[in-house]
Amino acid sequence: MTGARPGHTAIPPEPASTDGTAAPAVVVAVDGGGSKTDAVALSLDGRVVARRRGGGSSPHFDGLASSVETIDALIGEVSAGAPVAQANLYLSGLDLDRELDEFRAELAGRRWAGPSTVVANDLFALLRAGTDEPDAVVVVCGTGVNAAGVRADGRVARFPSLGSISGDWGGGSGLGAEALWHAARDADGRGPATWLTGAILELLQLGSVQELIEQLHFGQRQESSLAVLAPLVFEAARRGDAVGASLVARQAEEIVAFARACLVRLELLDRPVPIVLGGGILAARDPLLLEPIERGLAGIAPLATLAIVEQPPIVGAALLALASAGAGEEALARARTALAG
């Protein structure tokens, strides 16, 4: 798995607590994204010691130094001065080897970081939250889209996930941008009429599509805010709007393409591989999206099974951290039950 380090079982020296007894070591896991960061400290037997949620920690959005500072503060809170036996960090925005290396270098000097610290993309936490199978694929469709595949022999399939320049399409931001594109062409006569045009103006309380275009052009509104339009695309499709239906169909094709690429690259097309689906758009379970995904995957990988992640990614991050620390199955089961509740 990208960014993984060998398992770590040695426990650092335990400092004396205020009552003279030794403070037990903890295992720390972090799942960080663009809007929030979850951190948890666990005992080596899988009991939750503390949980915290902070602001976003994606290096893409917040910068490398700010990301590490956010994580450092959260780990300080959940560990509360106890020695950290193992720390596993899973963050969005770490898609390239260079980004992973730079992030690890930025951890130098943090009291909880060391040679065994795991730094990886948050996809792997989501994957572990959905399955513990050694051969597996995960596809996320939330604000953006991304995927990864793992194989029992250690091979990994990844994507740069840098937007249109790396061939990505869709997710909330992408669907929102496409909705505006079609609305603009509807408004000026270059494209077909679409229900989306009026729905966008009503949602954003604007008088015209031109007004929205100018707000984006002059920086009064951020393009990332267009993700709020994504639910309108699905509503348009349900209403029989041709534009909305075409966008939902294309999103399904993109998700199938991600999964297919992982399966082909890892030579898993003929295996009973779980394909874990996550992210807000997929978690909504809209049949207009899920049914074509199921059909598409059945046609290329009939033995594969689909599973939508029900548990938050911090569950997977915690399980991976405990496994890195050498915890047994009983500890893993205890942690999953405690964190999923």
Side-chain angles (χ1 to χ4, degrees), residues 72 75-76 79-84 107 109-114:
D72 187 45
I75 290 180
S79 63
V84 175
L107 297 181
R110 311 287 170 168
R111 71 168 185 83
W112 46 268

Side-chain angles (χ1 to χ4, degrees), residues 176-177 180-181 204 206 209-226 229:
L180 174 56
W181 188 88
L204 300 181
L206 297 173
V209 175
Q210 182 67 22
E211 186 178 351
L212 174 56
I213 292 170
E214 290 187 9
Q215 287 180 355
L216 292 164
H217 177 68
F218 290 113
Q220 297 167 295
R221 189 186 295 266
Q222 299 301 311
E223 289 192 25
S224 59
S225 69
L226 294 178
L229 305 181

Side-chain angles (χ1 to χ4, degrees), residues 147-327:
V150 296
R151 188 177 156 118
D153 62 7
R155 292 164 60 188
V156 175
R158 289 290 313 280
F159 302 87
S161 189
L162 299 175
S164 61
I165 63 172
S166 59
D168 308 325
W169 186 92
S173 294
L175 287 171
E178 288 289 325
L180 174 56
W181 188 88
H182 283 283
R185 294 172 68 85
D186 173 16
D188 65 20
R190 286 178 294 168
T194 172
W195 174 86
L196 284 165
T197 304
I200 290 171
L201 298 180
E202 181 179 356
L203 177 66
L204 300 181
Q205 298 184 318
L206 297 173
S208 68
V209 175
Q210 182 67 22
E211 186 178 351
L212 174 56
I213 292 170
E214 290 187 9
Q215 287 180 355
L216 292 164
H217 177 68
F218 290 113
Q220 297 167 295
R221 189 186 295 266
Q222 299 301 311
E223 289 192 25
S224 59
S225 69
L226 294 178
V228 72
L229 305 181
L232 297 181
V233 173
F234 289 89
E235 178 61 24
R238 285 190 288 273
R239 289 170 174 265
D241 181 86
V243 169
S246 69
L247 293 177
V248 173
R250 184 177 177 187
Q251 185 65 88
E253 291 170 359
E254 287 294 313
I255 291 167
V256 171
F258 265 118
R260 180 184 66 245
C262 288
L263 293 170
V264 169
R265 287 161 60 182
L266 296 177
E267 301 177 288
L268 295 174
L269 279 174
D270 59 349
R271 308 266 186 99
V273 177
I275 299 176
V276 175
L277 304 179
I281 288 177
L282 285 165
R285 297 176 179 269
D286 193 311
L288 292 177
L289 180 63
L290 292 184
E291 288 174 6
I293 291 173
E294 291 171 353
R295 290 194 301 270
L297 288 173
I300 59 173
L303 299 181
T305 57
L306 286 179
I308 296 178
V309 178
E310 300 287 351
Q311 298 177 336
I314 190 62
V315 175
L319 296 177
L320 289 168
L322 284 169
S324 295

Side-chain angles (χ1 to χ4, degrees), residues 98-110:
R98 174 177 170 179
E99 293 170 329
L100 291 164
D101 291 341
E102 289 175 349
F103 195 93
R104 293 189 191 103
E106 189 71 18
L107 297 181
R110 311 287 170 168

